């Protein structure tokens, strides 16, 4: 599916010169992140922070180019798909080494993909359609499907709940050895201090030119250190001072301050994505669909966005899951269900639904300050609607752990970039936290994922969005732009929703 306008190349890099790729090796960079990742196993987590770090260590069969097209990475080429859409044949690149010096072959890929469909939320999603994964020969893998499944290559390309390829001998459910094929390898992790990656000299880059996440990945830097900086204000001050070479996820109100800095400059990714409230549909007060609708009826998306982002330079009020410049954009289900801001009506609706004052436990974190600001506004509207709000503010690692437990929460607040394939949206999977599983979901999602014709898939996605608004497994709040900062001495870094530092180098 082609996007109408948005691509990595179209994301704006403001207050920044155009860089030419430097070819010299050497140097160490420090990257400030929003906190400590809960794991370094990207199969078992959908946290963006995990993907940002681990995409340097582990690789997938496919990835995305700057136009969000699927492109081969460890695979030699895009898969060959049979006429009936039920057999996918994948040829593997030769001469790929793991960090332990062993060679990658089809046995490693088969074992890894079987681990993925067992452990990863998106792997489980794909696994429902997979009949078998076999090694045809040492350099060929065949995936047999129960029925055509259009999103599979996109799922295999995604760095989130990722189908990483690791040695067949290292397939334990709990990863203790972090051995991948990426341009950097793990040297040391000190909890709450840093994650140290060093160049993997045995890395074999693709021969094509670098293209978004695809093409050649050059390990120019000697070392990358990811440093957790949970406090947003501290990240801003460290960005202004040039303490870090790259700072992720800064409050948007810091943009003008960053423009005036001498050691660094801001980057703006526009549009980046959307904040989202995920409901626990399995247990607790939000299990009742009518209660979920009442919560949505109470909320002012406009007030939440204004509190979180301040200026409309940084947000837009839009109920469609995808913004208007995406082919996937549709208003199906939106009218009358978005930005209603009617706490009095919601109070009556909740009472009619049988709500009797049960706690509505909202999980949020200040490491993403805009999550917390939205939570505060939401809590006030919900209190006006008669809901018993329990706002739980925790660190991001704790939130990602708690959301996996059905008995611990009713709403958690997160965000997502606009993904190139809607089937990548985690909440569409019945195994993702939220556990949305209704006959209406199954009918709409299965029809969408089974269709391979791009034009028909657009119409079928509208049906999925209509069901999302009908079942209320989550609430999209609006669109937002993201701000980060980059050192003036660092070059070769393209703005991206999951920043990557292969191809990055330090000016000499």
């Amino acid at each position: 599916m082609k996007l109408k306008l948005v691509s990595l190349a179209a994301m704006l890099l403001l207050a920044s010169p155009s860089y030419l790729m430097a070819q010299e090796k050497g140097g160490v960079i420090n990257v400030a992140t929003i906190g400590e990742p809960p794991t370094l196993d990207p199969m078992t987590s959908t946290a963006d922070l995990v993907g940002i770090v681990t995409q340097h260590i582990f690789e997938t069969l496919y990835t995305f180019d700057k136009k969000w097209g699927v492109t081969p990475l460890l695979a030699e080429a895009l898969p060959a798909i049979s006429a009936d859409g039920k057999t996918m044949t994948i040829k593997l690149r030769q001469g790929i080494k793991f960090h332990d010096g062993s060679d990658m072959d089809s046995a490693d890929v088969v074992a890894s993909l079987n681990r993925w469909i067992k452990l990863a939320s998106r792997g489980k999603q794909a696994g429902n359609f997979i009949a078998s994964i076999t090694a045809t020969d040492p350099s060929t893998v065949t995936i047999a499907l129960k029925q055509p499944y259009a999103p599979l290559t996109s799922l295999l390309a995604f760095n989130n709940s990722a189908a990483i390829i690791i040695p067949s001998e290292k397939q334990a459910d709990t990863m203790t050895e972090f051995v991948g094929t990426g341009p950097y390898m793990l040297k040391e992790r000190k909890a709450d201090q840093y994650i140290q990656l060093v160049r993997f000299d045995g890395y074999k880059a693709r021969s094509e030119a670098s293209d978004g996440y695809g093409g050649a990945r050059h390990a120019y830097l000697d070392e990358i250190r990811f440093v957790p900086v949970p406090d947003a204000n501290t990240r801003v001050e460290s960005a202004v001072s040039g303490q870090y070479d790259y700072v992720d996820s800064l409050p948007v109100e810091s943009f003008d301050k960053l423009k005036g800095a001498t050691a660094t400059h801001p980057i703006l990714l526009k549009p980046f994505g959307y904040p989202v409230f995920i409901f626990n549909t399995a247990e607790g007060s939000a299990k009742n669909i009518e209660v979920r609708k009442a919560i949505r009826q109470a909320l002012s998306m406009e007030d939440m966005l204004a509190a979180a982002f301040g200026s409309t330079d940084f947000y837009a009020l839009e109920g469609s899951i995808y913004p208007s410049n995406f082919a996937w954009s549709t208003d199906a289900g939106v009218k009358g269900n978005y930005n209603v801001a009617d706490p009095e009506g919601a109070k009556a609706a909740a009472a009619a639904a049988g709500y009797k004052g049960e706690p509505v436990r909202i999980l949020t974190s200040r490491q993403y300050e805009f999550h917390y600001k939205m939570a505060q506004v939401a809590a006030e509207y919900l209190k006006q609607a008669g809901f018993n709000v329990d706002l739980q503010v925790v660190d991001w690692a704790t939130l990602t752990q708690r959301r996996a437990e059905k008995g611990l929460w009713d709403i958690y607040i997160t965000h997502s970039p606009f993904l190139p394939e809607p089937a990548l949206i985690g909440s569409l999977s019945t195994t993702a936290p939220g556990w949305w599983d209704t006959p209406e979901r199954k009918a709409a999602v299965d029809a969408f994922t089974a269709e391979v014709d791009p034009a028909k898939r657009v119409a079928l996605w509208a049906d999925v969005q209509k069901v999302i608004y009908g079942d209320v497994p989550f609430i999209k709040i609006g669109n937002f732009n993201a701000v980060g900062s980059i050192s003036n001495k660092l070059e070769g870094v393209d703005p991206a929703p999951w920043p990557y530092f292969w191809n990055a180098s330090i000016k000499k």
Side-chain angles (χ1 to χ4, degrees):
M1 174 57 58
K2 299 289 187 183
L3 305 184
K4 288 181 180 176
L5 294 176
V6 175
S7 69
L8 286 180
M11 291 178 173
L12 300 183
L13 177 58
L14 299 188
S16 166
S18 297
Y19 288 136
L20 297 176
M21 179 63 67
Q23 301 297 316
E24 295 186 44
K25 287 188 176 182
V28 176
I29 66 167
N30 292 284
V31 178
T33 66
I34 62 100
E36 180 75 11
T39 179
L40 291 182
D41 180 355
M43 276 197 194
T44 61
S45 178
T46 58
D48 286 343
L49 177 57
V50 174
I52 288 170
V53 176
T54 61
Q55 65 186 341
H56 298 81
I57 305 170
F58 303 104
E59 294 182 312
T60 46
L61 293 171
Y62 303 99
T63 188
F64 295 104
D65 62 25
K66 64 184 178 182
K67 294 183 179 179
W68 288 114
V70 176
T71 190
L73 184 55
L74 291 176
E76 185 177 90
L78 291 175
I81 300 175
S82 62
D84 64 2
K86 295 169 70 173
T87 304
M88 177 183 288
T89 303
I90 301 170
K91 295 295 290 184
L92 305 177
R93 292 169 61 203
Q94 299 297 292
I96 301 299
K97 296 279 188 183
F98 289 109
H99 297 159
D100 63 2
S102 61
D103 294 310
M104 184 196 78
D105 63 17
S106 59
D108 302 304
V109 174
V110 170
S112 297
L113 295 184
N114 281 324
R115 183 178 188 266
W116 181 62
I117 63 177
K118 175 184 177 183
L119 298 180
S121 60
R122 289 186 175 86
K124 293 175 183 178
Q125 179 182 342
N128 293 326
F129 299 88
I130 294 174
S132 65
I133 306 170
T134 56
T136 311
D137 60 47
S139 62
T140 309
V141 172
T142 301
I143 301 177
L145 298 170
K146 300 172 185 176
Q147 65 185 64
Y149 185 57
L152 183 54
T153 51
S154 291
L155 287 166
L156 292 173
F158 201 27
N159 71 357
N160 180 297
S161 188
I164 58 168
I165 306 305
I166 57 179
S168 58
E169 302 83 12
K170 303 182 187 300
Q171 299 286 329
D173 288 0
T174 300
M175 186 180 287
T176 56
E177 296 181 75
F178 302 91
V179 177
T181 61
Y184 289 88
M185 54 187 181
L186 179 66
K187 181 176 181 180
E188 185 176 26
R189 180 184 187 182
K190 287 195 173 182
D192 300 315
Q193 294 185 50
Y194 60 81
I195 296 169
Q196 181 187 20
L197 308 185
V198 295
R199 183 193 302 113
F200 173 41
D201 289 328
Y203 183 70
K204 183 178 181 180
R206 294 193 67 90
S207 59
E208 304 94 332
S210 301
D211 185 2
Y213 294 91
R217 296 180 171 186
H218 300 292
Y220 296 128
L221 300 167
D222 293 332
E223 182 179 319
I224 306 169
R225 287 197 179 207
F226 293 93
V227 182
V229 185
D231 182 74
N233 291 327
T234 303
R235 287 201 301 279
V236 171
E237 294 306 317
S238 65
V240 171
S241 69
Q243 179 180 354
Y244 296 100
D245 300 285
Y246 189 98
V247 183
D248 191 35
S249 191
L250 293 169
V252 293
E253 58 268 25
S254 68
F255 188 78
D256 287 340
K257 187 174 185 179
L258 288 164
K259 285 199 295 184
T262 58
T264 189
H265 55 269
I267 53 175
L268 181 69
L269 284 79
K270 178 181 181 178
F272 176 82
Y274 58 100
V276 60
F277 285 22
I278 308 287
F279 284 111
N280 183 345
T281 68
E283 293 184 15
S285 57
K287 180 179 180 180
N288 184 331
I289 185 174
E290 297 304 322
V291 170
R292 299 200 297 271
K293 289 180 179 179
I295 289 172
R296 182 179 64 191
Q297 181 178 350
L299 295 176
S300 168
M301 281 57 172
E302 187 169 13
D303 284 356
M304 285 190 285
L305 290 167
F309 302 107
S311 167
T312 52
D313 290 341
F314 300 107
Y315 74 85
L317 195 66
E318 187 171 36
S320 169
I321 304 301
Y322 281 88
S324 56
N325 53 349
F326 275 75
W328 301 110
S329 184
T330 172
D331 61 2
V334 175
K335 188 175 181 179
N337 293 317
Y338 177 75
N339 194 39
V340 180
D342 178 17
E344 287 302 318
K347 187 173 186 177
Y355 177 72
K356 294 182 172 60
E358 300 89 346
V360 176
R361 298 160 295 176
I362 302 177
L363 273 179
T364 191
S365 171
R366 295 200 71 164
Q367 286 165 257
Y368 292 108
E369 187 70 9
F370 68 97
H371 291 189
Y372 175 67
K373 290 178 178 178
M374 289 189 299
Q376 288 181 303
V377 174
E380 293 307 310
Y381 271 92
L382 293 178
K383 288 173 184 176
Q384 290 178 40
F387 287 100
N388 176 15
V389 178
D390 177 10
L391 185 60
Q392 300 180 6
V393 184
V394 298
D395 63 84
W396 187 246
T398 299
L399 186 149
T400 62
Q401 291 166 356
R402 286 191 187 178
R403 71 184 179 185
E405 300 292 332
K406 293 180 180 178
L408 297 182
W409 60 279
D410 301 296
I411 298 170
Y412 81 85
I413 299 176
T414 186
H415 67 271
S416 173
F418 295 113
L419 303 172
E421 159 62 57
L424 296 174
I425 296 173
S427 294
L428 299 188
S429 170
T430 59
T431 61
W435 305 283
W436 178 35
D437 190 6
T438 65
E440 293 78 10
R441 183 217 69 87
K442 179 173 175 54
V445 173
D446 285 1
F448 172 66
T449 56
E451 181 56 63
V452 296
D453 182 274
K456 292 179 180 178
R457 295 192 79 222
V458 169
L460 289 168
W461 169 247
D463 294 340
V464 176
Q465 182 174 291
K466 187 174 181 180
V467 174
I468 289 170
Y469 269 96
D471 281 359
V472 205
F474 61 85
I475 303 172
K476 180 194 175 184
I477 309 303
N479 307 335
F480 78 100
N481 307 330
V483 174
S485 79
I486 186 168
S487 167
N488 293 336
K489 68 180 182 179
L490 187 60
E491 56 188 356
V493 178
D494 293 326
W498 302 279
Y500 55 89
F501 303 98
W502 57 82
N503 299 338
S505 61
I506 297 172
K507 290 182 183 180
K508 301 300 182 181

